[in-house]
Amino acid sequence: MAEARSLRLMLVALVGALVSGCASYYTHYAMFPAETSSGKTRDVRISWDSAEYPGWWITHNRTTTMTLETQCSERVWRLADDSHEQAGNCGKGIRACAGRALDQPVVTDVPGRCLSVRVPGGGDRIAAVGSQFELQVSCQPIQPTLARGDETVNVDYLRPSSVPYQVYARKVPRGSLSASLPEFNARECRDD
C-alpha cells in the first residue's frame, strides 16, 4: 500500500513538473533608420516576444507576431507565420499581407504579400528568427496620408525595394530594464 502511494506521489510530481513548463521569456527588437515611400528618413522598429523551451521539452518555442512600426506613422504591421491566427492568405513563411484600398504591390513574387522575413539558413517561423534577418518590402501605400475628420494622418512606411533590408535584432530577457523598446523621437513628427 505504501509503495503504491509513493508511486502515485512520484507520478503526480512528475506530471506537475512536466505541465508547469520551464520556458525562458525574451523580448526581441531592432530599430534602424530607413527611407519611407515619401522619401523621408524615419526610424523603423520591429519587435516580438518569445517563449523558448529546452530541446528535451514537449512543446516547441512560441512567439508573438512581429510588429513593424515607422516613426511618425500610425500604420502598424503585424508579420505572422502559420502558427498565428493572424497569418494572412498571401503565401507561406513570415509575412504580412496587403490591406485593401491601403497598399499597392510594387515588387512582389507572391500576390498580396507586402512584407516578408527571410531567416538566414532557412526557417519559416518567427521562432527561427535570430539576431540577423532580411526584411523584404514589396508594397507601398496608395496614399501616404489619410484624412480623418479635420486632420491628416500619416500612414507611410518603409520604401519598397527589390533588395531586402538587413536587420540586426537584440534579444533580452523579458521584464529586464533593457527589454524596454526604444522610443521614437516625436519632435521630428511635429515638425512635419
Side-chain angles (χ1 to χ4, degrees), residues 10-46:
M10 286 179 18
L11 193 56
V12 167
L14 179 63
V15 170
L18 289 175
V19 174
S20 66
C22 48
S24 297
Y25 299 94
Y26 297 98
T27 295
H28 308 254
Y29 63 88
M31 193 156 179
F32 59 95
E35 212 169 272
T36 64
S37 67
S38 301
K40 295 184 178 182
T41 300
R42 298 291 186 220
D43 285 332
V44 176
R45 181 174 61 203
I46 301 174

Side-chain angles (χ1 to χ4, degrees), residues 74-90:
E74 287 194 8
R75 185 73 185 270
V76 176
W77 287 94
R78 303 271 184 219
L79 289 100
D81 59 39
D82 290 335
S83 70
H84 300 101
E85 290 181 18
Q86 302 92 333
N89 192 18
C90 58

Side-chain angles (χ1 to χ4, degrees), residues 74 78 87 91 96 120 135 138 143 180 188:
E74 287 194 8
R78 303 271 184 219
L135 174 66
S138 306
Q143 295 181 322
S180 298
E188 292 179 24

Side-chain angles (χ1 to χ4, degrees), residues 2 8 14 23 35 42 64-67 69-70 74 83 92 94 99 105 125 127-128 138 149 171 182 188:
R8 274 191 238 138
L14 179 63
E35 212 169 272
R42 298 291 186 220
T64 61
T65 56
M66 296 175 89
T67 301
E69 302 165 280
T70 304
E74 287 194 8
S83 70
K92 298 280 182 205
I94 305 165
R125 301 281 175 140
S138 306
K171 174 182 173 181
E188 292 179 24

Side-chain angles (χ1 to χ4, degrees), residues 14-15 68 100 172-174:
L14 179 63
V15 170
L68 185 140
R100 288 187 185 194
V172 295
R174 198 174 328 156

Side-chain angles (χ1 to χ4, degrees), residues 34-40 42-44 68-71 73-77 97-99 102-106 114-115 137-144 154-160 165:
E35 212 169 272
T36 64
S37 67
S38 301
K40 295 184 178 182
R42 298 291 186 220
D43 285 332
V44 176
L68 185 140
E69 302 165 280
T70 304
Q71 179 185 19
S73 176
E74 287 194 8
R75 185 73 185 270
V76 176
W77 287 94
C97 304
L102 292 175
D103 310 299
Q104 65 184 23
V106 177
C114 276
L115 301 171
V137 181
S138 306
C139 294
Q140 67 185 22
I142 293 172
Q143 295 181 322
N154 183 345
V155 291
D156 204 1
Y157 50 88
L158 278 167
R159 170 174 280 181
Y165 293 89

